[in-house]
């Protein structure tokens, strides 16, 4: 593994906390991507792709395996989201000719919530036994297998909603980010934990900005 991707390769130490190059780069680039997402800026997707690649290596080294696998999904969906936002179907365009913001039908909210809980149970059981099934690759037990699995599965749900530019995605992200703030603090990547605490505030901002834009659409264009 290249030195820059090794969490033991320290960039600087601040107040006794050793900051690796990997964590620092992931935090900065990821922060930029999330801020752009809250503003519905199309460049959030390619910048996010770089961030999730760095986080893949970070989470492997701190035994957050479901989070590690999630970064592969995020890489694919960053490409998908970039395409979806820039290629809306006829009638879906906003004034910038990009995909416009919409709300998720109640039936879909219920369906995706149920799927998220079922997926959490299945992934949690898998993560809990991963070190037994593949001991040469995962030589330590997964940390927080069910809690980590919940944030992983619901991140998939939130990402799907974000690709479709649904306002509700930001409320899901707020809940996920609050849990991840706690998990990363416990695992010792405290700067990442602080970043996710900030992400909670950005999620609130995203919900506000997306709702405001949604409400600005003409009535006949607000349905989807």
């Amino acid at each position: 593994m290249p030195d820059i991707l090794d969490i033991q390769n320290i960039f600087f130490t601040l107040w006794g906390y050793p900051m690796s190059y990997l964590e620092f780069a992931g935090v900065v680039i990821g922060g930029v991507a999330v801020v752009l997402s809250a503003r519905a800026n199309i460049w959030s997707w390619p910048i996010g792709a770089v961030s999730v690649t760095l986080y893949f290596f970070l989470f492997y080294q701190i035994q957050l395996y479901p989070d590690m696998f999630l970064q592969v999904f995020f890489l694919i969906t960053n490409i998908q989201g970039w395409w979806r936002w820039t290629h809306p179907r006829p009638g879906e365009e906003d004034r910038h000719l990009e995909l416009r913001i919409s709300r998720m039908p109640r039936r879909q909210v219920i369906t995706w919530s149920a799927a998220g809980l079922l997926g959490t149970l299945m992934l949690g059981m898998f993560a809990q036994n991963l070190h037994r099934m593949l001991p040469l690759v995962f030589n330590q037990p997964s940390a927080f297998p069910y809690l980590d699995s919940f944030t992983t599965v619901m991140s998939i749900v939130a990402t799907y909603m974000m690709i479709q530019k649904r306002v509700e995605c930001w409320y899901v992200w707020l809940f996920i980010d609050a849990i991840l703030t706690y998990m990363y603090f416990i695992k010792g990547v405290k700067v990442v934990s602080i970043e996710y605490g900030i992400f909670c505030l950005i999620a609130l901002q995203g919900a506000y900005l997306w709702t405001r834009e949604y409400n600005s659409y003409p009535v006949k264009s607000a349905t989807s």
Side-chain angles (χ1 to χ4, degrees), residues 102-118:
S102 60
R103 287 193 176 276
M104 178 170 278
R106 183 176 300 177
R107 180 177 297 180
Q108 288 189 25
V109 172
I110 296 173
T111 299
W112 280 103
S113 297
L117 293 176
L118 179 60

Side-chain angles (χ1 to χ4, degrees), residues 22-23 83 127 132 194 207 211:
L22 178 59
E23 184 179 356
W83 174 267
R132 299 188 184 95
I194 293 171
T211 300

Side-chain angles (χ1 to χ4, degrees), residues 54-86:
L54 296 174
Y55 276 128
F56 175 90
F57 293 99
L58 175 67
F59 293 143
Y60 172 75
Q61 293 174 75
I62 60 174
Q63 300 86 49
L64 289 177
Y65 302 137
D67 257 357
M68 180 194 74
F69 291 129
L70 180 62
Q71 305 314 302
V72 178
F73 168 81
F74 279 161
L75 180 60
I76 296 170
T77 54
N78 269 276
I79 297 171
Q80 182 183 3
W82 195 6
W83 174 267
R84 180 76 175 98
W85 282 22
T86 54

Side-chain angles (χ1 to χ4, degrees), residues 25 29 45 67 108 122 161:
I29 298 173
W45 294 110
D67 257 357
Q108 288 189 25
M122 296 174 63
M161 295 165 70

Side-chain angles (χ1 to χ4, degrees), residues 86-130:
T86 54
H87 294 79
R89 301 185 186 97
E92 291 183 334
E93 308 93 338
D94 62 11
R95 61 184 179 276
H96 303 297
L97 300 181
E98 296 177 2
L99 180 67
R100 71 169 181 258
I101 294 169
S102 60
R103 287 193 176 276
M104 178 170 278
R106 183 176 300 177
R107 180 177 297 180
Q108 288 189 25
V109 172
I110 296 173
T111 299
W112 280 103
S113 297
L117 293 176
L118 179 60
T120 295
L121 179 62
M122 296 174 63
L123 183 59
M125 293 174 63
F126 174 73
Q128 192 172 36
N129 294 286
L130 192 57

Side-chain angles (χ1 to χ4, degrees), residues 34 67 70 109 112-114 116-117 120 146-159 161-162 167-184 193 196-207:
V34 173
D67 257 357
L70 180 62
V109 172
W112 280 103
S113 297
L117 293 176
T120 295
Y146 285 96
L147 193 60
D148 192 15
S149 294
F150 175 76
T151 58
T152 296
V153 171
M154 293 311 296
S155 292
I156 292 173
V157 173
T159 300
M161 295 165 70
M162 179 169 280
V167 171
E168 292 81 2
C169 75
W170 288 110
Y171 298 105
V172 180
W173 282 126
L174 176 60
F175 190 38
I176 293 168
D177 291 342
I179 295 174
L180 290 175
T181 298
Y182 164 76
M183 281 176 44
Y184 295 150
S193 174
Y196 273 79
I198 295 172
F199 284 172
C200 290
L201 301 178
I202 296 176
L204 289 172
Q205 181 190 37

